[in-house]
Amino acid sequence: MAEHRTMQRQALLDAARSLLSEGGTEALTFPALAERTGLARSSVYEYFRSRAAVVEALCAADFPVWAAEVEAAMEAARTPEAKIEAYVRTQLDLVGDRRHRAVVAISAGELDAGAREKIRAAHGALVSLVVAALAALGHSEPRLTAMLLQGIVDAAVRRIDLGAAEPPTDIVTAAVTMALRGVTP
């Protein structure tokens, strides 16, 4: 019985990823989850009390995997500059990944305070990955610089997700250049 419930919960999370990836937050509804999984709508409520709870579960499952990919890319880099580039590039390369698209599709306003805090903590852990590389480059405020660097990444993610006029590769290159050189051409 517990294994069956675990499989159903996983099927609901997979369906939620697909719905968010395909249609954004508007697409994530309990009737759509029920239809995608073949479960009764009332069964969906047995697993999740709200859309925010679905999103919180997705973040708990997917964010650590995503952060591990960023961390692995950074560990493979040899210099502080290469680590920073890996930090930026890996996050932006993951934009097309269903797990990432699902997390990005959610606006923080739809989540309760507990879910927002969990996501903030996960983002904080991600940002902390780059602090040492920034300190090695001589930044006097590496934590602040890391948070601002994440702002560049977040802006590039939004630009890619919006289907901007520029090709995603150009957005990635611009973000990496800005991260490494600032606004100096």
Side-chain angles (χ1 to χ4, degrees):
M1 177 74 173
E3 185 177 324
H4 180 68
R5 284 190 57 80
T6 301
M7 288 174 49
Q8 284 185 333
R9 186 174 194 279
Q10 190 58 51
L12 286 165
L13 291 176
D14 287 342
R17 282 184 197 96
S18 294
L19 289 166
L20 286 167
S21 183
E22 294 163 13
T25 54
E26 300 80 33
L28 180 61
T29 65
F30 279 30
L33 284 171
E35 183 180 324
R36 286 277 173 113
T37 58
L39 295 172
R41 187 171 161 183
S42 59
S43 295
V44 177
Y45 284 99
E46 290 178 29
Y47 292 91
F48 303 105
R49 67 188 183 289
S50 65
R51 287 187 339 158
V54 175
V55 171
E56 190 174 342
L58 280 174
C59 290
D62 295 345
F63 203 94
V65 174
W66 179 38
E69 290 180 39
V70 173
E71 188 171 16
M74 290 180 70
E75 285 176 3
R78 294 187 181 269
T79 66
E81 292 90 350
K83 288 180 183 306
I84 292 166
E85 180 173 351
Y87 177 81
V88 173
R89 191 173 296 280
T90 304
Q91 287 187 69
L92 296 178
D93 287 347
L94 289 169
V95 170
D97 184 294
R98 237 172 30 114
R99 293 166 306 176
H100 180 256
R101 289 187 61 80
V103 172
V104 168
I106 300 303
S107 70
E110 292 188 36
L111 303 177
D112 61 31
R116 280 195 307 270
E117 185 51 42
K118 286 179 185 175
I119 291 172
R120 262 195 297 276
H123 269 108
L126 185 62
V127 167
S128 70
L129 292 175
V130 78
V131 171
L134 291 164
L137 285 177
H139 283 276
S140 61
E141 296 283 341
R143 180 92 183 139
L144 171 60
T145 304
M147 288 186 269
L148 295 173
L149 175 61
Q150 187 60 43
I152 292 170
V153 173
D154 294 344
V157 165
R158 283 190 301 278
R159 190 97 184 130
I160 292 168
D161 273 346
L162 288 173
E166 308 88 7
T169 54
D170 290 357
I171 296 170
V172 172
T173 299
V176 168
T177 300
M178 188 168 228
L180 294 175
R181 296 184 187 88
V183 295
T184 306

